[in-house]
Amino acid sequence: QVQLVESGGGSVQAGGSLRLSCAASRDIGRKYCMGWFRQAPGKERERVGIIDDAGKTNYADSVKGRFTISRDNAKNTLYLQMDSLKPEDTAMYYCAARIDPSFAYVCYVEGGYKHWGQGTQVTVSS
């Protein structure tokens, strides 16, 4: 089992930046994918972006060009750099991990992830 703990959320004005971190309790190996998801009040959880073990990233259209996912393998930590934040980015942000995915497509769907953090709140005011 692996535990994921997010941090770095907070309140910021529109146009500002935040960096979220997601610390894993152990090395999750060499074949994996990790993702950031978010859920706004009254809405379904949506994928923000993912990174695979080759460092390839993929982002939702709504955050493309503004958000950047990175990973520090030595620290077992995933990051989400969020720039040019908008009020519509307000949500609870979750990180997730899938160890040893059998198929690439599982990394692009919420149900493909087996390990989740508790979430960190991001609030963007106008």
Side-chain angles (χ1 to χ4, degrees), residues 13-52:
Q13 289 191 327
S17 298
L18 283 173
R19 188 175 82 153
L20 306 184
S21 299
C22 171
S25 58
R26 64 170 177 84
D27 183 349
I28 61 173
R30 297 297 172 262
K31 186 177 180 182
Y32 65 86
C33 52
M34 297 190 74
W36 286 99
F37 293 77
R38 67 185 182 185
Q39 187 168 22
K43 295 187 177 181
E44 294 186 352
R45 189 155 56 184
E46 63 176 356
R47 176 171 54 86
V48 174
I50 69 161
I51 186 168
D52 67 14

Side-chain angles (χ1 to χ4, degrees), residues 73-94:
N73 291 323
K75 296 182 179 180
N76 296 327
T77 301
L78 180 72
Y79 301 101
L80 178 65
Q81 178 66 42
M82 305 185 293
D83 298 318
S84 303
L85 282 162
K86 304 176 181 180
E88 51 263 44
D89 295 318
T90 295
M92 184 70 78
Y93 283 70
Y94 301 88

Side-chain angles (χ1 to χ4, degrees), residues 1-7 21-28 33-37 71 76-78 93-99 113-120:
Q1 189 68 298
V2 58
Q3 283 74 47
L4 303 174
V5 179
E6 302 97 333
S7 61
S21 299
C22 171
S25 58
R26 64 170 177 84
D27 183 349
I28 61 173
C33 52
M34 297 190 74
W36 286 99
F37 293 77
R71 174 167 166 79
N76 296 327
T77 301
L78 180 72
Y93 283 70
Y94 301 88
C95 72
R98 175 63 185 259
I99 299 172
Y113 288 83
K114 304 299 184 183
H115 306 282
W116 290 84
Q118 82 290 347
T120 186

